[in-house]
Amino acid sequence: MTQLERARNNEITLEMEKAASKDGIDPEDLRRSIANGNTVIPANKLHRHLEPIAIGKVASTKINANFGTSPYDADVEKELRKQEASIRHGADTVMDLSTGGDLDSIRSTLIAACTVPFGTVPIYQAMADAESIDDVDGDAMIQAVRRHAEQGVDFVTVHAGVTQDVIPLLKGRLGGVVSRGGSFLVSWMMKNEANNPLYERFDEVIDIAYEYDVTLSLGDGLRPGCLSDASDKAQYHELKVLGDLTKKAWARDVQVMIEGPGHVPLHLIKENIEMQKEHCHGAPFYVLGPLVTDIGAGYDHITSAIGGALAASYGADFLCYVTPSEHLKLPNIEEVIDGVIASKIAAHAADIAKGFPGAMEWDDRISRARRNLDWDEQIRLTVNPNRAKMLREQSEIDTDECTMCGQYCALKAFTED
Amino acid sequence: MTQLERARNNEITLEMEKAASKDGIDPEDLRRSIANGNTVIPANKLHRHLEPIAIGKVASTKINANFGTSPYDADVEKELRKQEASIRHGADTVMDLSTGGDLDSIRSTLIAACTVPFGTVPIYQAMADAESIDDVDGDAMIQAVRRHAEQGVDFVTVHAGVTQDVIPLLKGRLGGVVSRGGSFLVSWMMKNEANNPLYERFDEVIDIAYEYDVTLSLGDGLRPGCLSDASDKAQYHELKVLGDLTKKAWARDVQVMIEGPGHVPLHLIKENIEMQKEHCHGAPFYVLGPLVTDIGAGYDHITSAIGGALAASYGADFLCYVTPSEHLKLPNIEEVIDGVIASKIAAHAADIAKGFPGAMEWDDRISRARRNLDWDEQIRLTVNPNRAKMLREQSEIDTDECTMCGQYCALKAFTED
């Protein structure tokens, strides 16, 4: 039985207890939200050492870190270090997007070391396994989902919403199709003059997901790749298809999240969240960024933190981080950490705005330490104590002042007591 | 005559022409907005080599970079390099907040090399000149404003809104008073049992400002120093006083901006902007961040970029950058650059959201280059080409791919044509 099925049967599972405790929320509230499809606990029955967390309406905003090998760099040790650093710096989930090297072996190595929900995009496997991309068939796509499920993957991106009828709507896009899965499937459908197998055979995907309790993360293969394409017909057409698929999965007790953009200007973020909640019946929303401008390559952890904070404050549940390397190269470990921290800041700022219980306490504690010039406590409480400590130590002073103001410290000049 | 006076006399000055041309706006629209007090051109008559810009309702969102010596580090060469780097990376204005070394000499050295509007906080001079902070008197405060005006400073922060009657309202604040000027003045008023000389003798400040056409940046000495204090009575009390002082200055043809917070949770930013516009009669709003969480020391360029983007999208006109070193130490040149870029991203994202003419074109150009895999053009158009180039070069590949996806490039898989 899946978490969704058990929630519907009024059972509070061990996973629900643990996830609720982690967020400081009521387990019964969590159960009810899972039963309604508004919250998920991605927890493959075969993923050992998993510490379950909840993603959705009643939970705190969660963040995901992507990594994985590429055809240019297929060293699993590097990716293991990125995974470890991501989790240590606050990633709530990770996704292995490997496309280079022995994917099965890389995946099993990473999962074995992973204590947080582990996500993948099985279609990359189908693409990598084929002699040529043109050789990929529907069986291979479904088979990849099964193989990942068997290995203990907790959530899989499935681009089942990319359908043949959307192709004419892509005409005139400035940015084209920027999802690797989406782009492959559009191209596949055009060459094969057939509809997307992941859509046509979605029941088989559901069967696999049910068997292992894999959460389906319905991919936004047609997400905008630049501001100009944001909220276009193709994007919203896919979103509606994903809404239909959500109902199909729910009818079979399979947990669902919906993936979203991407590149969205500030003033369209609210509309994007509202459209998703409406078309996808309140399923959790997992956004990539969104980036609020296209000019930020080298700094897209910042452009996406701006969009992510706003998106989550409007109701997005789950933020996929973006690293400073986005649009330029595969990130290294420092860039992975920068991405995690930026995303963590965005998620936390949104939790404060949403009034998530306990969120403001963290800020109050650090502000009290700052007011009291208690540097150790202040540094301990920052989002990345190592970095704060390093910056403070650069000053080479041993007073309670800092090198910004010295004796003109505002906190020293005026004291109430 | 000041720019405001001349605008009211229906004159389009050379400064207005240049500032309008820089923003691609109509000079007559700019003149009208200046005449109404909604926009300013900070341009001291004695500041040579200044390239004038407009800040306010009809202009693009502008950003400011702070630097300056401290008692711990008083090397003018370092600050000169920070100024040069700030301007080169896109700072529209700079502020010299020096408190260490020979302040007059540092200031004149910096101004001589400065092509953008140059701001200062004269009260720091009064504090630094005095034997002890307790010795500072009203004459010294006014005299400092005059000295800065004579040196060619284009805008000065004057904390004239910190008045005696606000002191009881500070009771119970978690973060205390975090503005150096504000904290000093509150302490001064308590010790001297007298009101703030900058408020009592505001007419003298206006006289000086008029004489040199220095724009008054009415300081928010009581801005919140943590989220918990955001939008409290003390903050809004000061804002109302600043509104009254704005009218006084306008009556004498002196240009005015209003400074604002600081630390503000996401959901209170809109209210902050609306309150300022209402209480201060549409004078341009110059915000410091705002930071949307207190946990970000080491990353406060990001916490402030989130708040700044949102603030500007709601109508803030001018963003003061925050560096990663904020709350920890005096920033070095790399941290200054990080602050400028983060702020630039926030301002640009807001200009897109506001529909500022031409803002989206930049994004469309870079997106077209990205779609065409034109790396040179893409890198040339990013917010900091040096950094994008450096990251791309780390990949050591010479194809049109990048190391993220290699042969699985989404942009290559699907092409319309």
Side-chain angles (χ1 to χ4, degrees):
Chain A
M1 294 214 297
T2 64
Q3 296 291 327
L4 174 53
E5 193 172 10
R6 293 163 78 180
R8 285 173 168 172
N9 288 341
N10 288 309
E11 181 189 350
I12 294 176
T13 64
L14 186 62
E15 288 78 10
M16 294 177 206
E17 300 248 12
K18 285 183 178 171
S21 152
K22 197 146 194 167
D23 266 347
I25 56 175
D26 178 44
E28 170 56 20
D29 287 348
L30 176 56
R31 184 204 61 75
R32 204 176 307 122
S33 188
I34 292 171
N36 292 335
N38 298 141
T39 301
V40 296
I41 294 185
N44 186 313
K45 293 169 185 175
L46 302 181
H47 185 183
R48 301 172 71 178
H49 316 303
L50 173 68
E51 294 169 18
I53 55 136
I55 300 168
K57 194 171 180 180
V58 298
S60 65
T61 305
K62 300 301 187 298
I63 65 166
N64 174 74
N66 289 334
F67 43 80
T69 61
S70 97
Y72 283 100
D73 196 344
D75 178 357
V76 69
E77 290 302 321
K78 272 192 197 167
E79 304 312 311
L80 264 175
R81 284 196 294 274
K82 290 181 195 169
Q83 173 171 281
E84 186 278 324
S86 297
I87 298 172
R88 184 159 38 88
H89 285 89
D92 299 295
T93 70
V94 296
M95 286 188 82
D96 167 26
L97 306 186
S98 290
T99 54
D102 178 347
L103 301 188
D104 278 330
S105 152
I106 291 166
R107 191 179 317 112
S108 67
T109 303
L110 289 169
I111 293 180
C114 187
T115 54
V116 301
F118 188 92
T120 59
V121 188
I123 201 154
Y124 296 171
Q125 169 110 43
M127 289 157 67
D129 283 351
E131 282 284 310
S132 129
I133 287 187
D134 295 342
D135 293 341
V136 181
D137 63 12
D139 286 343
M141 297 184 202
I142 301 290
Q143 198 47 44
V145 176
R146 174 167 296 279
R147 209 182 319 163
H148 288 217
E150 288 168 353
Q151 280 190 310
V153 169
D154 301 295
F155 61 105
V156 291
T157 294
V158 178
H159 301 95
V162 180
T163 48
Q164 250 183 323
D165 51 345
V166 86
I167 295 173
L169 301 180
L170 295 170
K171 197 112 201 110
R173 267 199 166 183
L174 178 57
V177 180
V178 297
S179 150
R180 284 189 288 199
S183 175
F184 163 72
L185 286 165
V186 169
S187 152
W188 189 96
M189 291 188 293
M190 288 166 76
K191 280 181 194 146
N192 291 277
E193 294 183 11
N195 206 356
N196 177 358
L198 293 169
Y199 176 82
E200 293 291 326
R201 298 166 65 176
F202 192 62
D203 282 338
E204 293 173 57
V205 174
I206 290 177
D207 285 340
I208 300 165
Y210 178 79
E211 189 175 346
Y212 297 88
D213 200 1
V214 172
T215 298
L216 295 180
S217 187
L218 297 180
D220 57 335
L222 305 176
R223 65 172 175 268
C226 64
L227 295 198
S228 265
D229 296 340
S231 303
D232 73 354
K233 282 182 188 167
Q235 184 197 333
Y236 282 148
H237 181 282
E238 181 184 28
L239 190 64
K240 284 175 205 163
V241 177
L242 298 183
D244 295 340
L245 297 174
T246 299
K247 285 199 163 172
K248 279 194 169 191
W250 281 349
R252 305 272 301 283
D253 293 324
V254 164
Q255 302 189 90
V256 176
M257 303 186 283
I258 306 295
E259 297 183 9
H263 294 239
V264 184
L266 267 180
H267 62 291
L268 294 181
I269 291 177
K270 192 170 182 219
E271 171 200 294
N272 264 269
I273 310 297
E274 287 167 352
M275 291 288 272
Q276 186 274 346
K277 294 288 173 192
E278 183 191 328
H279 289 307
C280 298
H281 325 292
F285 198 19
Y286 175 22
V287 293
L288 175 53
L291 284 65
V292 294
T293 168
D294 303 327
I295 64 164
Y299 301 86
D300 277 326
H301 59 315
I302 299 179
T303 63
S304 66
I306 296 172
L310 204 56
S313 80
Y314 289 138
D317 306 283
F318 188 23
L319 305 179
C320 186
Y321 88 165
V322 176
T323 79
S325 301
E326 186 73 19
H327 300 112
L328 295 168
K329 70 177 183 82
L330 201 69
N332 63 26
I333 192 164
E334 288 75 26
E335 291 148 1
V336 162
I337 294 170
D338 280 346
V340 168
I341 298 290
S343 201
K344 193 87 192 157
I345 286 170
H348 180 65
D351 280 343
I352 292 170
K354 286 194 278 195
F356 187 79
M360 262 294 286
E361 282 169 27
W362 183 3
D363 295 64
D364 287 351
R365 285 207 308 277
I366 201 170
S367 296
R368 201 166 293 119
R370 186 169 286 153
R371 179 79 187 85
N372 296 333
L373 298 167
D374 180 346
W375 285 93
D376 291 341
E377 178 75 349
Q378 190 188 157
I379 285 169
R380 192 182 68 77
L381 287 168
T382 55
V383 66
N384 183 3
N386 288 339
R387 183 173 160 89
K389 191 160 179 280
M390 185 264 286
L391 288 175
R392 165 85 178 151
E393 283 173 356
Q394 283 175 5
S395 298
E396 294 177 355
I397 58 171
D398 61 355
T399 72
D400 62 357
E401 296 170 354
C402 85
T403 52
M404 174 76 90
C405 306
Q407 75 228 48
Y408 303 110
C409 178
L411 294 170
K412 284 181 155 183
F414 165 67
T415 43
E416 262 182 85
D417 321 327
Chain B
M1 294 215 297
T2 64
Q3 296 292 328
L4 174 54
E5 193 172 11
R6 293 162 77 180
R8 285 171 168 171
N9 289 342
N10 289 311
E11 181 189 349
I12 294 176
T13 65
L14 187 60
E15 288 78 9
M16 293 176 208
E17 301 247 12
K18 284 183 178 172
S21 151
K22 197 147 194 167
D23 266 345
I25 56 176
D26 177 47
E28 171 56 18
D29 287 347
L30 176 56
R31 183 205 62 74
R32 205 176 308 122
S33 187
I34 293 171
N36 293 335
N38 299 141
T39 301
V40 296
I41 294 184
N44 186 312
K45 294 169 185 176
L46 302 180
H47 184 182
R48 301 171 69 180
H49 316 302
L50 172 68
E51 294 168 18
I53 55 137
I55 299 168
K57 194 171 180 180
V58 298
S60 64
T61 306
K62 300 300 189 296
I63 65 165
N64 173 74
N66 289 335
F67 43 79
T69 61
S70 98
Y72 283 99
D73 195 344
D75 177 359
V76 70
E77 290 301 323
K78 273 191 198 168
E79 304 313 311
L80 264 175
R81 283 195 295 274
K82 290 180 196 171
Q83 173 170 282
E84 186 277 324
S86 297
I87 298 171
R88 185 159 38 86
H89 285 88
D92 299 296
T93 70
V94 297
M95 286 188 81
D96 167 27
L97 307 185
S98 291
T99 54
D102 179 347
L103 301 188
D104 278 331
S105 152
I106 290 166
R107 191 179 316 112
S108 68
T109 304
L110 289 169
I111 292 180
C114 187
T115 53
V116 300
F118 187 93
T120 59
V121 188
I123 201 153
Y124 296 170
Q125 170 111 43
M127 289 157 68
D129 283 352
E131 282 283 311
S132 127
I133 286 187
D134 295 342
D135 293 341
V136 180
D137 63 13
D139 286 344
M141 297 184 203
I142 302 291
Q143 198 47 44
V145 177
R146 176 168 295 282
R147 207 177 326 158
H148 289 217
E150 287 168 353
Q151 280 189 310
V153 169
D154 301 294
F155 61 105
V156 291
T157 294
V158 179
H159 302 94
V162 180
T163 49
Q164 251 183 324
D165 50 347
V166 87
I167 295 173
L169 301 180
L170 294 170
K171 197 112 202 109
R173 266 198 168 185
L174 177 59
V177 180
V178 297
S179 149
R180 285 190 286 202
S183 175
F184 163 73
L185 285 165
V186 169
S187 153
W188 189 95
M189 291 188 293
M190 288 167 77
K191 280 180 194 147
N192 291 278
E193 294 182 10
N195 206 355
N196 176 359
L198 293 170
Y199 176 82
E200 293 291 325
R201 298 166 66 174
F202 192 63
D203 283 339
E204 293 174 59
V205 175
I206 290 177
D207 285 341
I208 299 165
Y210 178 80
E211 190 176 344
Y212 297 88
D213 199 3
V214 172
T215 298
L216 295 180
S217 188
L218 298 180
D220 56 336
L222 305 176
R223 65 172 175 269
C226 63
L227 295 198
S228 264
D229 296 340
S231 302
D232 73 354
K233 282 182 187 167
Q235 184 197 333
Y236 282 149
H237 182 282
E238 182 184 27
L239 190 64
K240 284 175 205 161
V241 177
L242 297 183
D244 295 340
L245 297 174
T246 299
K247 285 199 164 171
K248 279 194 168 188
W250 281 350
R252 305 273 300 284
D253 293 324
V254 165
Q255 303 188 91
V256 176
M257 303 186 282
I258 306 294
E259 296 182 11
H263 294 241
V264 185
L266 267 181
H267 62 292
L268 294 181
I269 290 177
K270 192 170 182 217
E271 170 200 294
N272 264 268
I273 310 297
E274 286 167 354
M275 291 289 272
Q276 186 273 350
K277 293 289 171 191
E278 182 191 329
H279 288 307
C280 299
H281 324 291
F285 198 19
Y286 176 22
V287 293
L288 175 53
L291 283 64
V292 294
T293 169
D294 303 328
I295 64 163
Y299 300 88
D300 276 327
H301 59 314
I302 298 178
T303 64
S304 66
I306 296 172
L310 204 57
S313 79
Y314 289 138
D317 306 283
F318 188 23
L319 305 179
C320 185
Y321 88 164
V322 177
T323 80
S325 301
E326 186 75 20
H327 299 113
L328 294 168
K329 68 177 184 83
L330 201 69
N332 63 26
I333 192 164
E334 288 76 24
E335 291 148 1
V336 162
I337 293 171
D338 280 346
V340 168
I341 298 290
S343 201
K344 192 88 191 157
I345 286 170
H348 180 65
D351 280 343
I352 292 170
K354 287 193 279 196
F356 188 79
M360 262 295 285
E361 281 169 29
W362 184 2
D363 295 64
D364 287 350
R365 284 207 307 278
I366 199 170
S367 297
R368 202 166 292 119
R370 186 168 286 153
R371 179 79 187 87
N372 296 332
L373 298 168
D374 180 346
W375 285 94
D376 290 342
E377 179 74 349
Q378 190 188 155
I379 285 169
R380 192 182 70 76
L381 287 168
T382 56
V383 66
N384 184 3
N386 288 339
R387 183 172 160 89
K389 190 160 180 281
M390 185 263 287
L391 287 175
R392 165 87 178 149
E393 283 173 356
Q394 282 175 7
S395 298
E396 294 177 353
I397 56 172
D398 61 355
T399 72
D400 62 357
E401 296 170 355
C402 86
T403 53
M404 175 77 90
C405 306
Q407 74 227 50
Y408 304 111
C409 178
L411 294 170
K412 284 182 156 183
F414 165 67
T415 43
E416 261 182 88
D417 322 328

